[in-house]
Amino acid sequence: MGVLSGPQTGDLRTPDGRMMSMGIHQELTARTRAVLPSWLALYYDEPIAIDRGEGRTVWDLEGNEYLDFFGGILTTMTAYSLPEVTAAIAEQAAKVLHTSTLYLNQPMIELAEMVAEMSGIPDAKVFFTTSGSEANDAAMLLATSYRKSNQVLALRNSYHGRSFTAIALTSHRSWSPTGYSGLSVHYVQGPYKVRSPYKDLSDDAFVDAAVADLQQVIDMMTSGDVACMITEPIQGVGGFATPPDGFFKAFKDVLDQYGILFVSDEVQTGWGRTGEHLWGYQAHGITPDIMTFAKGIGNGLSIGGVIARAEIMDCIGANSISTFGGNPLVTAGALANLKYLVEHDLQGNAFKQGSRLYEGLLPIAEETPWILELRGRGLMLAIETVEPGTTQPDSRRAGRLMEETRKRGLLLGKGGLYGNVLRISPPMTVTEEEIDTATAIIAASVSVID
Ligand SMILES: Cc1ncc(COP(=O)(O)O)c(C=O)c1O
């Protein structure tokens, strides 16, 4: 079937050969189930296919319009069909798509310079990959080679990707299909306090308890010469679990005693989405040794990367390439996207609109007995649903909220270990009017759920 547009229906045969008429979404759902893996989860009881987008609005193949407050998992960072990005891609595509890393690559060099400068890491060098998983793989290659150790610390409730290495760093049952790994990974207490032994502690006491846990893990489970700790400043897939400011400074003080490198996975938190800071790590008064990024920088183009101090980046003793990593097409598009973000102060907009969204949602969260908490930073907010009066996760109500908001024209994301967290993270050009529309839709949807 070719490229389709506008409201459509399709025809399919029943097992006994009769033709049945169905909507295009129903037809594509059946074909997806037949030919794509069962573990590729789809949103919604009746899945949708997004046909096109403009700004923060998308249209599905059956002609329905939605305000998109998930941006393809925080990946459409600036806007859909942003003319500056579209033009840069078209211009580069008309010249050359790919040359390989064997030749000098002007847009890649320019993007690396910009990213290194923005990173806050001194004497920074950048290596581009095609995804966040591959960026984290590269970070582990650097850290384990530099430290000559395969021991790694990660946080409980983390997600770092789907490659073999990234799965090993992930501490989240729903996203951990295998326990095999060449790394020796130990997971320490992360920022997610709910249902942990520390759930009733104040922020300060929680930080102290988490540091004590970290110390004990290093002392009891490692030989001390750990390569690195990898963290998400706000845990994305884990349901936007947000630590108190300074949490990672307290961790880093311990890590520094052993020379353990600090890796900040900024795949979701990067580029100003948290509003107050360009990078999630900056809420903690630290500078990481290594940082990874992906998703938003390409606005949908397949690009990720790792940034590290030159002495760490250059410690690799053999050649290493990524055939497609940072090719001219993706770096030209990412460069235009990043320039737009900086020139239009989208970090400032994330702060302003994120605050407005938080203030709009707070009374709804406070009045609703099955909403445990509203949390997050900037344009990275989450609602956790529970059985009223308990901390028992309630994925049924989270699912209903997804369906009800969608019915009213708003797309949100889901997350959390139990699928009971709604994630709200629109493109960073979102307007005040769109924030108010989304808030009203969430309020109306919450009000019909018992
Ligand atoms: C924090 C974090 N790191 C890494 C990844 C993996 O990125 P990718 O899916 O591009 O491999 C993700 C993806 O959701 C992520 O959220």
Side-chain angles (χ1 to χ4, degrees), residues 72-75 129-136 158-163 166 170 175 230-238 240 265-269 292-295 302-304 380 423:
I73 322 182
L74 297 87
T75 298
T129 63
T130 57
S131 69
S133 302
E134 201 196 336
N136 285 330
S158 58
Y159 180 84
H160 294 288
R162 67 155 303 281
S163 67
T170 292
W175 299 95
I230 182 164
T231 67
E232 296 161 89
I234 294 177
Q235 294 183 321
V237 171
F240 292 174
D265 176 342
E266 301 273 354
V267 166
Q268 296 209 13
T269 44
T292 57
F293 61 87
K295 289 196 188 289
S302 182
I303 177 168
M380 217 176 156
R423 292 195 281 165

mmCIF file of all heavy atoms in Angstrom, residues 72-75 129-136 158-163 166 170 175 230-238 240 265-269 292-295 302-304 380 423, ligand 1:
data_model
loop_
_atom_site.group_PDB
_atom_site.id
_atom_site.type_symbol
_atom_site.label_atom_id
_atom_site.label_comp_id
_atom_site.label_asym_id
_atom_site.label_seq_id
_atom_site.Cartn_x
_atom_site.Cartn_y
_atom_site.Cartn_z
ATOM 1 N N GLY A 72 6.167 12.238 20.338
ATOM 2 C CA GLY A 72 6.866 11.023 19.904
ATOM 3 C C GLY A 72 7.943 10.635 20.913
ATOM 4 O O GLY A 72 9.087 10.333 20.535
ATOM 5 N N ILE A 73 7.568 10.616 22.187
ATOM 6 C CA ILE A 73 8.478 10.355 23.322
ATOM 7 C C ILE A 73 9.565 11.439 23.399
ATOM 8 O O ILE A 73 10.754 11.167 23.231
ATOM 9 C CB ILE A 73 9.106 8.940 23.301
ATOM 10 C CG1 ILE A 73 8.112 7.867 22.822
ATOM 11 C CG2 ILE A 73 9.647 8.588 24.684
ATOM 12 C CD1 ILE A 73 8.663 6.445 22.817
ATOM 13 N N LEU A 74 9.146 12.656 23.620
ATOM 14 C CA LEU A 74 10.042 13.817 23.834
ATOM 15 C C LEU A 74 11.044 14.018 22.698
ATOM 16 O O LEU A 74 12.159 14.485 22.916
ATOM 17 C CB LEU A 74 10.807 13.672 25.169
ATOM 18 C CG LEU A 74 10.001 13.652 26.443
ATOM 19 C CD1 LEU A 74 9.521 12.242 26.794
ATOM 20 C CD2 LEU A 74 10.808 14.192 27.619
ATOM 21 N N THR A 75 10.665 13.634 21.507
ATOM 22 C CA THR A 75 11.623 13.681 20.410
ATOM 23 C C THR A 75 11.358 14.836 19.448
ATOM 24 O O THR A 75 12.294 15.450 18.935
ATOM 25 C CB THR A 75 11.642 12.314 19.695
ATOM 26 O OG1 THR A 75 12.082 11.342 20.638
ATOM 27 C CG2 THR A 75 12.555 12.310 18.507
ATOM 28 N N THR A 129 26.182 9.238 17.281
ATOM 29 C CA THR A 129 25.637 7.897 17.049
ATOM 30 C C THR A 129 24.259 8.057 16.389
ATOM 31 O O THR A 129 23.845 9.174 16.078
ATOM 32 C CB THR A 129 25.462 7.156 18.390
ATOM 33 O OG1 THR A 129 24.499 7.875 19.184
ATOM 34 C CG2 THR A 129 26.775 7.072 19.156
ATOM 35 N N THR A 130 23.566 6.932 16.233
ATOM 36 C CA THR A 130 22.240 7.021 15.598
ATOM 37 C C THR A 130 21.097 6.985 16.610
ATOM 38 O O THR A 130 19.951 7.145 16.228
ATOM 39 C CB THR A 130 22.034 5.843 14.619
ATOM 40 O OG1 THR A 130 22.210 4.641 15.358
ATOM 41 C CG2 THR A 130 23.014 5.905 13.476
ATOM 42 N N SER A 131 21.406 6.727 17.872
ATOM 43 C CA SER A 131 20.338 6.600 18.865
ATOM 44 C C SER A 131 20.888 6.810 20.273
ATOM 45 O O SER A 131 22.114 6.824 20.483
ATOM 46 C CB SER A 131 19.721 5.195 18.798
ATOM 47 O OG SER A 131 20.677 4.256 19.278
ATOM 48 N N GLY A 132 19.956 6.905 21.228
ATOM 49 C CA GLY A 132 20.348 7.047 22.623
ATOM 50 C C GLY A 132 20.997 5.785 23.167
ATOM 51 O O GLY A 132 21.943 5.851 23.959
ATOM 52 N N SER A 133 20.474 4.632 22.751
ATOM 53 C CA SER A 133 21.064 3.369 23.214
ATOM 54 C C SER A 133 22.525 3.280 22.806
ATOM 55 O O SER A 133 23.404 2.940 23.613
ATOM 56 C CB SER A 133 20.328 2.173 22.587
ATOM 57 O OG SER A 133 18.974 2.207 22.914
ATOM 58 N N GLU A 134 22.766 3.599 21.543
ATOM 59 C CA GLU A 134 24.134 3.512 21.028
ATOM 60 C C GLU A 134 25.032 4.557 21.691
ATOM 61 O O GLU A 134 26.236 4.330 21.895
ATOM 62 C CB GLU A 134 24.107 3.704 19.501
ATOM 63 C CG GLU A 134 25.321 3.161 18.795
ATOM 64 C CD GLU A 134 25.445 3.699 17.369
ATOM 65 O OE1 GLU A 134 24.428 4.112 16.766
ATOM 66 O OE2 GLU A 134 26.580 3.717 16.870
ATOM 67 N N ALA A 135 24.441 5.696 22.050
ATOM 68 C CA ALA A 135 25.210 6.733 22.760
ATOM 69 C C ALA A 135 25.631 6.204 24.133
ATOM 70 O O ALA A 135 26.782 6.381 24.561
ATOM 71 C CB ALA A 135 24.362 7.994 22.918
ATOM 72 N N ASN A 136 24.695 5.517 24.811
ATOM 73 C CA ASN A 136 25.042 4.961 26.125
ATOM 74 C C ASN A 136 26.049 3.813 26.005
ATOM 75 O O ASN A 136 26.915 3.652 26.856
ATOM 76 C CB ASN A 136 23.777 4.526 26.874
ATOM 77 C CG ASN A 136 23.017 5.733 27.418
ATOM 78 O OD1 ASN A 136 23.621 6.757 27.730
ATOM 79 N ND2 ASN A 136 21.701 5.632 27.527
ATOM 80 N N SER A 158 15.712 2.876 36.452
ATOM 81 C CA SER A 158 16.313 3.578 35.309
ATOM 82 C C SER A 158 15.902 2.960 33.971
ATOM 83 O O SER A 158 15.474 1.804 33.914
ATOM 84 C CB SER A 158 17.836 3.499 35.416
ATOM 85 O OG SER A 158 18.242 2.135 35.448
ATOM 86 N N TYR A 159 16.060 3.750 32.900
ATOM 87 C CA TYR A 159 15.962 3.224 31.530
ATOM 88 C C TYR A 159 17.050 3.885 30.692
ATOM 89 O O TYR A 159 17.132 5.118 30.642
ATOM 90 C CB TYR A 159 14.591 3.521 30.905
ATOM 91 C CG TYR A 159 14.491 2.978 29.492
ATOM 92 C CD1 TYR A 159 14.149 1.657 29.256
ATOM 93 C CD2 TYR A 159 14.784 3.786 28.386
ATOM 94 C CE1 TYR A 159 14.100 1.141 27.968
ATOM 95 C CE2 TYR A 159 14.738 3.280 27.094
ATOM 96 C CZ TYR A 159 14.394 1.961 26.888
ATOM 97 O OH TYR A 159 14.347 1.451 25.612
ATOM 98 N N HIS A 160 17.862 3.061 30.031
ATOM 99 C CA HIS A 160 18.948 3.637 29.234
ATOM 100 C C HIS A 160 18.963 3.119 27.797
ATOM 101 O O HIS A 160 19.925 3.358 27.083
ATOM 102 C CB HIS A 160 20.295 3.382 29.912
ATOM 103 C CG HIS A 160 20.439 4.106 31.223
ATOM 104 N ND1 HIS A 160 20.606 5.475 31.304
ATOM 105 C CD2 HIS A 160 20.394 3.658 32.509
ATOM 106 C CE1 HIS A 160 20.680 5.838 32.586
ATOM 107 N NE2 HIS A 160 20.549 4.760 33.337
ATOM 108 N N GLY A 161 17.928 2.355 27.389
ATOM 109 C CA GLY A 161 17.867 1.964 25.986
ATOM 110 C C GLY A 161 17.694 0.483 25.772
ATOM 111 O O GLY A 161 17.521 -0.288 26.732
ATOM 112 N N ARG A 162 17.744 0.063 24.497
ATOM 113 C CA ARG A 162 17.401 -1.309 24.159
ATOM 114 C C ARG A 162 18.563 -2.132 23.584
ATOM 115 O O ARG A 162 18.376 -3.283 23.236
ATOM 116 C CB ARG A 162 16.219 -1.352 23.191
ATOM 117 C CG ARG A 162 16.505 -0.796 21.809
ATOM 118 C CD ARG A 162 15.585 -1.392 20.763
ATOM 119 N NE ARG A 162 15.673 -2.826 20.727
ATOM 120 C CZ ARG A 162 16.649 -3.500 20.126
ATOM 121 N NH1 ARG A 162 17.626 -2.868 19.535
ATOM 122 N NH2 ARG A 162 16.640 -4.815 20.109
ATOM 123 N N SER A 163 19.759 -1.553 23.491
ATOM 124 C CA SER A 163 20.891 -2.386 23.063
ATOM 125 C C SER A 163 21.238 -3.310 24.229
ATOM 126 O O SER A 163 20.793 -3.111 25.352
ATOM 127 C CB SER A 163 22.091 -1.508 22.718
ATOM 128 O OG SER A 163 22.543 -0.892 23.908
ATOM 129 N N ALA A 166 22.744 -1.324 26.998
ATOM 130 C CA ALA A 166 21.796 -0.382 27.606
ATOM 131 C C ALA A 166 20.727 -1.112 28.422
ATOM 132 O O ALA A 166 20.275 -0.608 29.452
ATOM 133 C CB ALA A 166 21.155 0.486 26.526
ATOM 134 N N THR A 170 19.620 -0.824 32.553
ATOM 135 C CA THR A 170 18.222 -0.501 32.831
ATOM 136 C C THR A 170 17.708 -1.319 34.009
ATOM 137 O O THR A 170 17.894 -2.532 34.057
ATOM 138 C CB THR A 170 17.394 -0.760 31.552
ATOM 139 O OG1 THR A 170 17.794 0.211 30.568
ATOM 140 C CG2 THR A 170 15.900 -0.680 31.797
ATOM 141 N N TRP A 175 11.184 -3.304 30.945
ATOM 142 C CA TRP A 175 12.103 -3.039 29.834
ATOM 143 C C TRP A 175 13.398 -3.832 29.979
ATOM 144 O O TRP A 175 14.413 -3.466 29.401
ATOM 145 C CB TRP A 175 12.406 -1.533 29.761
ATOM 146 C CG TRP A 175 11.179 -0.731 29.511
ATOM 147 C CD1 TRP A 175 10.395 -0.133 30.451
ATOM 148 C CD2 TRP A 175 10.568 -0.443 28.247
ATOM 149 N NE1 TRP A 175 9.338 0.507 29.854
ATOM 150 C CE2 TRP A 175 9.420 0.335 28.504
ATOM 151 C CE3 TRP A 175 10.887 -0.770 26.912
ATOM 152 C CZ2 TRP A 175 8.584 0.786 27.485
ATOM 153 C CZ3 TRP A 175 10.047 -0.313 25.905
ATOM 154 C CH2 TRP A 175 8.916 0.454 26.206
ATOM 155 N N ILE A 230 25.991 5.659 35.964
ATOM 156 C CA ILE A 230 25.175 6.312 34.938
ATOM 157 C C ILE A 230 23.829 6.679 35.557
ATOM 158 O O ILE A 230 23.236 5.880 36.299
ATOM 159 C CB ILE A 230 25.023 5.450 33.657
ATOM 160 C CG1 ILE A 230 24.206 6.224 32.609
ATOM 161 C CG2 ILE A 230 24.408 4.072 33.940
ATOM 162 C CD1 ILE A 230 24.308 5.653 31.197
ATOM 163 N N THR A 231 23.365 7.888 35.263
ATOM 164 C CA THR A 231 22.108 8.385 35.843
ATOM 165 C C THR A 231 21.280 9.107 34.791
ATOM 166 O O THR A 231 21.826 9.656 33.841
ATOM 167 C CB THR A 231 22.390 9.433 36.939
ATOM 168 O OG1 THR A 231 22.957 10.592 36.315
ATOM 169 C CG2 THR A 231 23.339 8.924 38.005
ATOM 170 N N GLU A 232 19.974 9.114 35.000
ATOM 171 C CA GLU A 232 19.100 10.065 34.294
ATOM 172 C C GLU A 232 18.778 11.149 35.328
ATOM 173 O O GLU A 232 18.270 10.812 36.400
ATOM 174 C CB GLU A 232 17.776 9.428 33.901
ATOM 175 C CG GLU A 232 17.840 8.298 32.911
ATOM 176 C CD GLU A 232 16.545 7.473 32.973
ATOM 177 O OE1 GLU A 232 15.593 7.804 32.256
ATOM 178 O OE2 GLU A 232 16.498 6.507 33.763
ATOM 179 N N PRO A 233 19.018 12.408 35.042
ATOM 180 C CA PRO A 233 18.731 13.456 36.045
ATOM 181 C C PRO A 233 17.265 13.453 36.468
ATOM 182 O O PRO A 233 16.952 13.709 37.629
ATOM 183 C CB PRO A 233 19.110 14.740 35.323
ATOM 184 C CG PRO A 233 20.138 14.318 34.323
ATOM 185 C CD PRO A 233 19.712 12.953 33.862
ATOM 186 N N ILE A 234 16.346 13.192 35.530
ATOM 187 C CA ILE A 234 14.951 12.884 35.857
ATOM 188 C C ILE A 234 14.669 11.583 35.116
ATOM 189 O O ILE A 234 14.924 11.490 33.905
ATOM 190 C CB ILE A 234 13.985 13.994 35.384
ATOM 191 C CG1 ILE A 234 14.237 15.296 36.154
ATOM 192 C CG2 ILE A 234 12.521 13.555 35.540
ATOM 193 C CD1 ILE A 234 13.369 16.481 35.710
ATOM 194 N N GLN A 235 14.167 10.568 35.823
ATOM 195 C CA GLN A 235 13.989 9.269 35.166
ATOM 196 C C GLN A 235 12.785 9.314 34.226
ATOM 197 O O GLN A 235 11.652 9.490 34.680
ATOM 198 C CB GLN A 235 13.833 8.180 36.215
ATOM 199 C CG GLN A 235 15.129 8.005 37.009
ATOM 200 C CD GLN A 235 15.065 6.889 38.028
ATOM 201 O OE1 GLN A 235 14.037 6.701 38.681
ATOM 202 N NE2 GLN A 235 16.155 6.146 38.180
ATOM 203 N N GLY A 236 13.050 9.156 32.933
ATOM 204 C CA GLY A 236 12.014 9.329 31.917
ATOM 205 C C GLY A 236 10.998 8.198 31.895
ATOM 206 O O GLY A 236 9.857 8.349 32.351
ATOM 207 N N VAL A 237 11.420 7.046 31.388
ATOM 208 C CA VAL A 237 10.533 5.887 31.304
ATOM 209 C C VAL A 237 10.021 5.520 32.702
ATOM 210 O O VAL A 237 8.880 5.084 32.876
ATOM 211 C CB VAL A 237 11.280 4.695 30.644
ATOM 212 C CG1 VAL A 237 10.478 3.413 30.746
ATOM 213 C CG2 VAL A 237 11.593 5.025 29.188
ATOM 214 N N GLY A 238 10.847 5.764 33.707
ATOM 215 C CA GLY A 238 10.474 5.467 35.098
ATOM 216 C C GLY A 238 9.393 6.376 35.649
ATOM 217 O O GLY A 238 9.081 6.298 36.841
ATOM 218 N N PHE A 240 9.135 10.029 35.146
ATOM 219 C CA PHE A 240 9.601 11.373 35.499
ATOM 220 C C PHE A 240 9.870 11.500 36.999
ATOM 221 O O PHE A 240 9.501 12.483 37.651
ATOM 222 C CB PHE A 240 8.602 12.447 35.038
ATOM 223 C CG PHE A 240 8.496 12.602 33.525
ATOM 224 C CD1 PHE A 240 7.552 13.450 32.948
ATOM 225 C CD2 PHE A 240 9.339 11.897 32.677
ATOM 226 C CE1 PHE A 240 7.451 13.584 31.565
ATOM 227 C CE2 PHE A 240 9.243 12.017 31.289
ATOM 228 C CZ PHE A 240 8.291 12.863 30.735
ATOM 229 N N ASP A 265 22.937 10.753 31.578
ATOM 230 C CA ASP A 265 22.147 10.423 30.387
ATOM 231 C C ASP A 265 21.071 11.502 30.240
ATOM 232 O O ASP A 265 20.070 11.527 30.957
ATOM 233 C CB ASP A 265 21.504 9.035 30.581
ATOM 234 C CG ASP A 265 20.580 8.637 29.431
ATOM 235 O OD1 ASP A 265 20.150 9.524 28.667
ATOM 236 O OD2 ASP A 265 20.264 7.436 29.306
ATOM 237 N N GLU A 266 21.330 12.425 29.298
ATOM 238 C CA GLU A 266 20.438 13.580 29.112
ATOM 239 C C GLU A 266 19.525 13.386 27.907
ATOM 240 O O GLU A 266 19.068 14.361 27.295
ATOM 241 C CB GLU A 266 21.279 14.860 28.949
ATOM 242 C CG GLU A 266 22.198 15.167 30.123
ATOM 243 C CD GLU A 266 21.527 15.989 31.245
ATOM 244 O OE1 GLU A 266 20.371 16.410 31.053
ATOM 245 O OE2 GLU A 266 22.170 16.194 32.293
ATOM 246 N N VAL A 267 19.261 12.125 27.573
ATOM 247 C CA VAL A 267 18.451 11.830 26.378
ATOM 248 C C VAL A 267 17.067 12.480 26.483
ATOM 249 O O VAL A 267 16.528 12.981 25.495
ATOM 250 C CB VAL A 267 18.366 10.302 26.159
ATOM 251 C CG1 VAL A 267 17.272 9.934 25.162
ATOM 252 C CG2 VAL A 267 19.718 9.771 25.679
ATOM 253 N N GLN A 268 16.489 12.498 27.687
ATOM 254 C CA GLN A 268 15.173 13.133 27.828
ATOM 255 C C GLN A 268 15.283 14.529 28.440
ATOM 256 O O GLN A 268 14.480 15.402 28.145
ATOM 257 C CB GLN A 268 14.246 12.263 28.696
ATOM 258 C CG GLN A 268 13.938 10.925 28.050
ATOM 259 C CD GLN A 268 12.580 10.341 28.438
ATOM 260 O OE1 GLN A 268 11.723 10.991 28.998
ATOM 261 N NE2 GLN A 268 12.379 9.089 28.117
ATOM 262 N N THR A 269 16.258 14.729 29.329
ATOM 263 C CA THR A 269 16.304 15.982 30.106
ATOM 264 C C THR A 269 17.084 17.098 29.432
ATOM 265 O O THR A 269 17.107 18.215 29.948
ATOM 266 C CB THR A 269 16.970 15.698 31.470
ATOM 267 O OG1 THR A 269 18.122 14.889 31.247
ATOM 268 C CG2 THR A 269 16.031 14.996 32.427
ATOM 269 N N THR A 292 25.411 11.857 27.656
ATOM 270 C CA THR A 292 24.842 11.324 26.412
ATOM 271 C C THR A 292 23.572 12.095 26.068
ATOM 272 O O THR A 292 22.894 12.633 26.951
ATOM 273 C CB THR A 292 24.522 9.817 26.514
ATOM 274 O OG1 THR A 292 23.637 9.601 27.616
ATOM 275 C CG2 THR A 292 25.774 8.995 26.703
ATOM 276 N N PHE A 293 23.267 12.127 24.770
ATOM 277 C CA PHE A 293 22.076 12.833 24.298
ATOM 278 C C PHE A 293 21.524 12.105 23.077
ATOM 279 O O PHE A 293 22.227 11.309 22.437
ATOM 280 C CB PHE A 293 22.415 14.302 23.947
ATOM 281 C CG PHE A 293 23.439 14.437 22.844
ATOM 282 C CD1 PHE A 293 23.066 14.447 21.512
ATOM 283 C CD2 PHE A 293 24.802 14.501 23.140
ATOM 284 C CE1 PHE A 293 24.015 14.540 20.491
ATOM 285 C CE2 PHE A 293 25.760 14.592 22.129
ATOM 286 C CZ PHE A 293 25.357 14.614 20.807
ATOM 287 N N ALA A 294 20.276 12.362 22.741
ATOM 288 C CA ALA A 294 19.648 11.793 21.524
ATOM 289 C C ALA A 294 18.289 12.478 21.361
ATOM 290 O O ALA A 294 18.166 13.667 21.633
ATOM 291 C CB ALA A 294 19.507 10.285 21.645
ATOM 292 N N LYS A 295 17.267 11.728 20.986
ATOM 293 C CA LYS A 295 15.886 12.212 20.865
ATOM 294 C C LYS A 295 15.780 13.639 20.303
ATOM 295 O O LYS A 295 15.853 13.841 19.111
ATOM 296 C CB LYS A 295 15.173 12.116 22.217
ATOM 297 C CG LYS A 295 14.878 10.660 22.644
ATOM 298 C CD LYS A 295 13.853 10.637 23.765
ATOM 299 C CE LYS A 295 13.659 9.247 24.352
ATOM 300 N NZ LYS A 295 12.979 8.314 23.489
ATOM 301 N N SER A 302 17.440 10.598 13.104
ATOM 302 C CA SER A 302 18.074 9.572 13.914
ATOM 303 C C SER A 302 19.491 9.996 14.322
ATOM 304 O O SER A 302 20.466 9.736 13.616
ATOM 305 C CB SER A 302 18.111 8.277 13.089
ATOM 306 O OG SER A 302 18.666 7.267 13.860
ATOM 307 N N ILE A 303 19.563 10.663 15.480
ATOM 308 C CA ILE A 303 20.874 11.129 15.939
ATOM 309 C C ILE A 303 20.973 11.105 17.459
ATOM 310 O O ILE A 303 20.018 11.458 18.154
ATOM 311 C CB ILE A 303 21.203 12.546 15.379
ATOM 312 C CG1 ILE A 303 22.550 13.049 15.918
ATOM 313 C CG2 ILE A 303 20.096 13.553 15.652
ATOM 314 C CD1 ILE A 303 23.072 14.286 15.203
ATOM 315 N N GLY A 304 22.103 10.647 17.949
ATOM 316 C CA GLY A 304 22.429 10.694 19.369
ATOM 317 C C GLY A 304 23.916 10.968 19.472
ATOM 318 O O GLY A 304 24.596 11.170 18.450
ATOM 319 N N MET A 380 8.279 18.640 31.524
ATOM 320 C CA MET A 380 8.496 17.214 31.790
ATOM 321 C C MET A 380 7.717 16.908 33.057
ATOM 322 O O MET A 380 8.285 16.772 34.128
ATOM 323 C CB MET A 380 9.998 17.004 32.009
ATOM 324 C CG MET A 380 10.538 15.727 31.455
ATOM 325 S SD MET A 380 12.314 15.596 31.644
ATOM 326 C CE MET A 380 12.441 13.811 31.590
ATOM 327 N N ARG A 423 2.655 10.814 31.311
ATOM 328 C CA ARG A 423 3.777 11.730 31.058
ATOM 329 C C ARG A 423 3.328 12.838 30.108
ATOM 330 O O ARG A 423 2.720 12.560 29.067
ATOM 331 C CB ARG A 423 4.953 10.967 30.454
ATOM 332 C CG ARG A 423 5.563 9.999 31.460
ATOM 333 C CD ARG A 423 6.916 9.526 31.000
ATOM 334 N NE ARG A 423 6.854 8.495 29.989
ATOM 335 C CZ ARG A 423 7.882 8.137 29.232
ATOM 336 N NH1 ARG A 423 9.028 8.761 29.319
ATOM 337 N NH2 ARG A 423 7.759 7.159 28.351
HETATM 338 C C1 LIG B 1 16.964 8.316 29.222
HETATM 339 C C2 LIG B 1 17.043 7.491 27.975
HETATM 340 N N1 LIG B 1 18.222 7.001 27.583
HETATM 341 C C3 LIG B 1 18.352 6.285 26.473
HETATM 342 C C4 LIG B 1 17.260 6.006 25.682
HETATM 343 C C5 LIG B 1 17.424 5.158 24.454
HETATM 344 O O1 LIG B 1 17.318 5.956 23.329
HETATM 345 P P1 LIG B 1 16.941 5.264 21.919
HETATM 346 O O2 LIG B 1 15.547 4.780 22.015
HETATM 347 O O3 LIG B 1 17.147 6.401 20.950
HETATM 348 O O4 LIG B 1 17.939 4.191 21.701
HETATM 349 C C6 LIG B 1 16.012 6.491 26.034
HETATM 350 C C7 LIG B 1 14.815 6.205 25.206
HETATM 351 O O5 LIG B 1 13.682 6.361 25.595
HETATM 352 C C8 LIG B 1 15.892 7.250 27.225
HETATM 353 O O6 LIG B 1 14.704 7.715 27.619
#
